[in-house]
Amino acid sequence: MSEHRVKIDSIAKATPEKVLSNADLEKIVDTSDEWIRTRTGMVERRISNENTAASDLVYEAAEKALKKSSIKARDIDLIVIATVTGDHPFPSTACIVQSKLGIHGCPAFDISAGCSGFIYAITIAKQFLQNGFVHNVLVAGVEILTKITNWKDRGTCVLFGDGAGAAILTEAHKGEISEIIDTFISADGKYGNLLIQEAGGSRMPASKETVEKNLHTVYMEGNKIFKIAVKSMGDAADIILTRNGFTGEDLDWLVPHQANLRIIDATAKRLRLLPQQVIINIEKYGNTSSASIPLAFAEAVEDGRIRRGDLIVLDAFGAGLTWGSVLLRY
Ligand code: ACO
């Protein structure tokens, strides 16, 4: 059976309107604008209101992506959503989005891979498209992390923001330059406890005590993760370039997960990239986990930096621990 080539047909983003600045955070915990800027590169982030859930942001981003594509909602035959902050533990946010889009019958599921979620989701969608099992896939990354943030923990609460990005993946026809060339995903579960939402699952069901102890919020040992993140993101980008015969010099863009400007800079340095080859928007949105790569990608397409045919590496690292990369021509 011949394999189909796959491309990203369109991509779009959705973010809540409300902005939470470093100055706002100074009023909540013992922190400073200077510490947050110099240690993370973040200046502000978006925060959703109490009525907004993950599916609302995905739906908004998906509608925008569909408008930019010739593919209609009724043509979508698979939905894959990367999130760790879905509307509910079940049903999946993908099923809720399917219903919001007014379509029925196509398979729809969520995947959990922390901040690497969008890379994992693209990898899964590519396989389904490549083998001809489906023709058009909605892939999204979404996170409402501010609803599982411990607002008393200055080590984490300054980092996270909300947002979503959605892409329509479809077959690349003969002669088209756009193509998802290769994907790489990896994980090491032995580090799982360094970044965890401890309660709310079968290990530690929700109780009065878990709520009182803030165990439904993000726990992260940031400085231990930092070193692993730098190495894994560098490795992931290096592996995908090398095995496809490219170097950093060939790249138009690196679109990295936006967790920390120092991690992004270290990755860019390892690949010998110039600053003008790296898409960065961490100063506006903070760390939006699964949403960060599609959000940065969509924004750069909107403002004309990323153009059709550009050679791009998407590169992520997150809870699990997980990491991965995608090499594509947009
Ligand atoms: N304001 C002021 N001081 C602070 C703050 C704050 N918001 N947070 C921590 N500090 C203090 C600490 O208490 C500590 O003080 P001490 O030296 O007196 O003990 C000092 O700053 C240094 O703390 P570190 O945690 O060592 O700071 P670091 O430079 O490592 O920065 C950070 C922390 C930003 C979290 C960084 O470690 C990081 O980015 N880690 C990687 C995060 C990541 O990649 N996560 C994976 C993806 S996220 C996901 O999947 C959801």
Side-chain angles (χ1 to χ4, degrees):
M1 195 176 68
S2 70
E3 288 202 334
H4 301 274
R5 291 166 62 235
V6 179
K7 67 171 183 178
I8 293 182
D9 195 50
S10 65
I11 185 159
K13 66 176 183 13
T15 50
E17 275 174 29
K18 190 175 170 194
V19 172
L20 186 73
S21 68
N22 290 351
D24 295 328
L25 285 162
E26 284 176 352
K27 292 175 202 144
I28 301 173
V29 282
D30 179 16
T31 190
S32 66
D33 175 50
E34 207 258 329
W35 191 96
I36 302 172
R37 278 178 199 254
T38 53
R39 302 312 292 164
T40 72
M42 296 167 189
V43 177
E44 57 186 42
R45 64 287 295 143
R46 299 299 178 94
I47 179 165
S48 52
N49 63 32
E50 58 182 18
N51 299 319
T52 304
S55 67
D56 302 318
L57 292 183
V58 176
Y59 175 64
E60 190 185 328
E63 286 278 59
K64 288 184 198 162
L66 284 165
K67 267 202 191 112
K68 295 178 182 185
S69 167
S70 57
I71 290 153
K72 304 276 169 256
R74 64 174 178 272
D75 303 323
I76 291 170
D77 39 25
L78 173 66
I79 301 174
V80 186
I81 296 186
T83 188
V84 296
T85 50
D87 291 25
H88 310 281
F90 65 87
S92 71
T93 298
C95 284
I96 298 168
V97 168
Q98 185 205 51
S99 171
K100 281 182 193 265
L101 287 169
I103 56 177
H104 313 275
C106 73
F109 58 88
D110 294 353
I111 62 125
S112 164
C115 305
S116 314
F118 192 70
I119 305 288
Y120 270 63
I122 294 250
T123 303
I124 294 162
K126 181 172 181 272
Q127 303 300 319
F128 277 95
L129 285 158
Q130 223 167 0
N131 63 25
F133 190 74
V134 302
H135 303 289
N136 307 298
V137 186
L138 169 63
V139 175
V142 61
E143 235 52 272
I144 310 250
L145 283 166
T146 62
K147 290 194 183 175
I148 60 158
T149 293
N150 179 353
W151 294 104
K152 289 180 184 151
D153 176 14
R154 67 176 183 173
T156 55
C157 77
V158 303
L159 304 174
F160 303 120
D162 303 337
I168 307 295
L169 270 59
T170 189
E171 208 178 306
H173 298 292
K174 216 174 161 196
E176 271 189 276
I177 191 166
S178 301
E179 180 179 9
I180 297 174
I181 301 164
D182 196 7
T183 73
F184 164 78
I185 50 175
S186 191
D188 194 342
K190 82 172 177 231
Y191 298 116
N193 286 340
L194 295 180
L195 178 48
I196 189 168
Q197 183 184 7
E198 279 194 88
S202 54
R203 176 70 59 202
M204 202 185 283
S207 68
K208 193 165 171 260
E209 195 189 353
T210 61
V211 173
E212 279 167 2
K213 288 185 172 168
N214 255 321
L215 297 176
H216 296 269
T217 57
V218 177
Y219 171 82
M220 181 166 80
E221 296 189 35
N223 50 7
K224 285 194 190 150
I225 288 181
F226 190 91
K227 293 174 207 133
I228 310 170
V230 168
K231 176 160 188 338
S232 307
M233 279 189 57
D235 286 350
D238 203 20
I239 285 168
I240 204 132
L241 283 169
T242 307
R243 78 181 181 194
N244 288 282
F246 293 108
T247 70
E249 261 179 42
D250 301 309
L251 272 189
D252 292 298
W253 298 108
L254 173 73
V255 185
H257 171 46
Q258 315 276 314
N260 189 310
L261 192 54
R262 292 180 290 140
I263 298 175
I264 297 173
D265 286 346
T267 307
K269 198 172 159 198
R270 174 155 164 202
L271 299 179
R272 298 207 172 94
L273 300 182
L274 301 168
Q276 54 269 31
Q277 288 172 284
V278 188
I279 302 288
I280 296 171
N281 65 1
I282 192 170
E283 71 285 358
K284 284 196 274 185
Y285 303 109
N287 179 352
T288 57
S289 189
S290 303
S292 97
I293 287 181
L295 219 162
F297 194 147
E299 192 166 76
V301 169
E302 275 166 26
D303 66 25
R305 277 175 295 166
I306 292 182
R307 294 164 193 224
R308 282 284 166 203
D310 282 356
L311 188 69
I312 301 170
V313 164
L314 315 179
D315 192 13
F317 172 86
L321 298 175
T322 57
W323 56 96
S325 55
V326 174
L327 177 70
L328 64 95
R329 279 201 188 277
Y330 178 58

Short mmCIF file of all heavy atoms in Angstrom, two decimals, residues 135-158:
data_model
loop_
_atom_site.label_atom_id
_atom_site.label_comp_id
_atom_site.label_asym_id
_atom_site.label_seq_id
_atom_site.Cartn_x
_atom_site.Cartn_y
_atom_site.Cartn_z
N HIS A 135 -8.65 11.23 6.02
CA HIS A 135 -8.21 12.22 5.01
C HIS A 135 -7.97 13.61 5.57
O HIS A 135 -7.15 14.36 5.06
CB HIS A 135 -9.23 12.28 3.87
CG HIS A 135 -9.45 10.94 3.25
ND1 HIS A 135 -8.52 10.32 2.48
CD2 HIS A 135 -10.49 10.08 3.35
CE1 HIS A 135 -8.96 9.13 2.10
NE2 HIS A 135 -10.15 8.97 2.62
N ASN A 136 -8.71 13.99 6.59
CA ASN A 136 -8.59 15.33 7.17
C ASN A 136 -8.69 15.26 8.69
O ASN A 136 -9.68 14.72 9.20
CB ASN A 136 -9.73 16.24 6.67
CG ASN A 136 -9.81 16.24 5.16
OD1 ASN A 136 -8.88 16.64 4.46
ND2 ASN A 136 -10.93 15.76 4.63
N VAL A 137 -7.69 15.81 9.37
CA VAL A 137 -7.66 15.68 10.83
C VAL A 137 -7.61 17.07 11.48
O VAL A 137 -6.85 17.94 11.03
CB VAL A 137 -6.43 14.87 11.30
CG1 VAL A 137 -6.49 14.62 12.81
CG2 VAL A 137 -6.33 13.55 10.55
N LEU A 138 -8.42 17.24 12.51
CA LEU A 138 -8.29 18.42 13.37
C LEU A 138 -7.38 18.04 14.53
O LEU A 138 -7.70 17.11 15.29
CB LEU A 138 -9.67 18.85 13.89
CG LEU A 138 -9.65 19.91 15.01
CD1 LEU A 138 -9.05 21.23 14.53
CD2 LEU A 138 -11.06 20.14 15.56
N VAL A 139 -6.24 18.73 14.62
CA VAL A 139 -5.29 18.50 15.72
C VAL A 139 -5.22 19.78 16.54
O VAL A 139 -5.03 20.87 15.96
CB VAL A 139 -3.88 18.18 15.18
CG1 VAL A 139 -2.89 18.05 16.33
CG2 VAL A 139 -3.89 16.88 14.38
N ALA A 140 -5.38 19.68 17.84
CA ALA A 140 -5.31 20.89 18.66
C ALA A 140 -4.50 20.66 19.92
O ALA A 140 -4.38 19.53 20.41
CB ALA A 140 -6.73 21.36 19.03
N GLY A 141 -3.94 21.75 20.44
CA GLY A 141 -3.32 21.76 21.75
C GLY A 141 -4.01 22.84 22.55
O GLY A 141 -4.16 23.97 22.07
N VAL A 142 -4.45 22.50 23.74
CA VAL A 142 -5.18 23.49 24.55
C VAL A 142 -4.84 23.30 26.01
O VAL A 142 -4.62 22.19 26.48
CB VAL A 142 -6.72 23.36 24.35
CG1 VAL A 142 -7.23 22.00 24.78
CG2 VAL A 142 -7.46 24.47 25.10
N GLU A 143 -4.80 24.42 26.72
CA GLU A 143 -4.56 24.32 28.15
C GLU A 143 -5.21 25.49 28.88
O GLU A 143 -5.16 26.64 28.41
CB GLU A 143 -3.05 24.35 28.39
CG GLU A 143 -2.42 23.23 29.16
CD GLU A 143 -2.71 21.79 28.72
OE1 GLU A 143 -3.72 21.26 29.22
OE2 GLU A 143 -1.95 21.19 27.97
N ILE A 144 -5.85 25.17 30.01
CA ILE A 144 -6.37 26.20 30.93
C ILE A 144 -5.64 25.95 32.24
O ILE A 144 -6.23 25.56 33.25
CB ILE A 144 -7.90 26.09 31.08
CG1 ILE A 144 -8.59 26.02 29.72
CG2 ILE A 144 -8.45 27.22 31.96
CD1 ILE A 144 -9.39 27.21 29.28
N LEU A 145 -4.35 26.13 32.21
CA LEU A 145 -3.52 25.81 33.37
C LEU A 145 -3.81 26.70 34.57
O LEU A 145 -3.58 26.30 35.72
CB LEU A 145 -2.04 25.92 33.00
CG LEU A 145 -1.49 24.74 32.18
CD1 LEU A 145 -0.15 25.10 31.58
CD2 LEU A 145 -1.36 23.49 33.02
N THR A 146 -4.31 27.91 34.32
CA THR A 146 -4.53 28.83 35.44
C THR A 146 -5.63 28.31 36.38
O THR A 146 -5.76 28.80 37.50
CB THR A 146 -4.90 30.26 34.97
OG1 THR A 146 -6.12 30.20 34.23
CG2 THR A 146 -3.78 30.85 34.12
N LYS A 147 -6.39 27.29 35.91
CA LYS A 147 -7.41 26.71 36.81
C LYS A 147 -6.86 25.57 37.65
O LYS A 147 -7.56 25.04 38.51
CB LYS A 147 -8.63 26.27 36.00
CG LYS A 147 -9.40 27.48 35.47
CD LYS A 147 -10.77 27.14 34.97
CE LYS A 147 -11.42 28.39 34.39
NZ LYS A 147 -12.71 28.14 33.77
N ILE A 148 -5.62 25.13 37.36
CA ILE A 148 -5.00 24.13 38.25
C ILE A 148 -3.67 24.67 38.78
O ILE A 148 -2.72 23.93 39.02
CB ILE A 148 -4.81 22.76 37.55
CG1 ILE A 148 -3.91 22.87 36.30
CG2 ILE A 148 -6.13 22.12 37.22
CD1 ILE A 148 -3.28 21.53 35.91
N THR A 149 -3.63 26.00 38.95
CA THR A 149 -2.44 26.66 39.47
C THR A 149 -2.58 26.89 40.97
O THR A 149 -3.66 27.25 41.45
CB THR A 149 -2.27 28.02 38.74
OG1 THR A 149 -1.97 27.76 37.37
CG2 THR A 149 -1.17 28.86 39.34
N ASN A 150 -1.48 26.66 41.69
CA ASN A 150 -1.44 26.96 43.12
C ASN A 150 -0.99 28.41 43.27
O ASN A 150 0.19 28.71 43.14
CB ASN A 150 -0.47 26.00 43.83
CG ASN A 150 -0.38 26.28 45.32
OD1 ASN A 150 -0.94 27.27 45.81
ND2 ASN A 150 0.32 25.42 46.04
N TRP A 151 -1.94 29.29 43.54
CA TRP A 151 -1.65 30.73 43.58
C TRP A 151 -0.86 31.15 44.83
O TRP A 151 -0.62 32.34 45.03
CB TRP A 151 -2.95 31.54 43.44
CG TRP A 151 -3.56 31.33 42.08
CD1 TRP A 151 -4.63 30.54 41.79
CD2 TRP A 151 -3.08 31.85 40.83
NE1 TRP A 151 -4.85 30.55 40.42
CE2 TRP A 151 -3.94 31.34 39.82
CE3 TRP A 151 -2.03 32.70 40.46
CZ2 TRP A 151 -3.76 31.65 38.47
CZ3 TRP A 151 -1.86 33.01 39.11
CH2 TRP A 151 -2.71 32.50 38.14
N LYS A 152 -0.49 30.14 45.65
CA LYS A 152 0.37 30.46 46.81
C LYS A 152 1.81 30.05 46.53
O LYS A 152 2.69 30.31 47.35
CB LYS A 152 -0.14 29.72 48.05
CG LYS A 152 -1.46 30.28 48.55
CD LYS A 152 -1.93 29.51 49.77
CE LYS A 152 -3.29 30.03 50.20
NZ LYS A 152 -4.08 29.01 50.84
N ASP A 153 2.05 29.34 45.43
CA ASP A 153 3.39 28.83 45.11
C ASP A 153 4.06 29.72 44.06
O ASP A 153 3.78 29.59 42.86
CB ASP A 153 3.27 27.38 44.61
CG ASP A 153 4.60 26.81 44.16
OD1 ASP A 153 5.65 27.41 44.48
OD2 ASP A 153 4.59 25.78 43.46
N ARG A 154 4.95 30.60 44.51
CA ARG A 154 5.56 31.55 43.57
C ARG A 154 6.45 30.84 42.54
O ARG A 154 6.76 31.40 41.49
CB ARG A 154 6.37 32.61 44.31
CG ARG A 154 7.61 32.08 45.01
CD ARG A 154 8.40 33.20 45.63
NE ARG A 154 9.62 32.69 46.24
CZ ARG A 154 10.57 33.42 46.75
NH1 ARG A 154 10.43 34.74 46.74
NH2 ARG A 154 11.65 32.90 47.27
N GLY A 155 6.89 29.61 42.89
CA GLY A 155 7.75 28.86 41.97
C GLY A 155 7.02 28.38 40.73
O GLY A 155 7.66 28.04 39.72
N THR A 156 5.68 28.30 40.79
CA THR A 156 4.93 27.85 39.60
C THR A 156 3.87 28.85 39.12
O THR A 156 3.63 28.95 37.92
CB THR A 156 4.20 26.51 39.86
OG1 THR A 156 3.37 26.66 41.03
CG2 THR A 156 5.18 25.36 40.07
N CYS A 157 3.26 29.61 40.04
CA CYS A 157 2.07 30.38 39.62
C CYS A 157 2.41 31.52 38.66
O CYS A 157 1.53 32.02 37.97
CB CYS A 157 1.28 30.89 40.82
SG CYS A 157 1.98 32.32 41.65
N VAL A 158 3.69 31.90 38.60
CA VAL A 158 4.05 33.00 37.69
C VAL A 158 4.25 32.49 36.26
O VAL A 158 4.41 33.29 35.33
CB VAL A 158 5.34 33.73 38.15
CG1 VAL A 158 5.18 34.25 39.56
CG2 VAL A 158 6.57 32.82 38.07
#
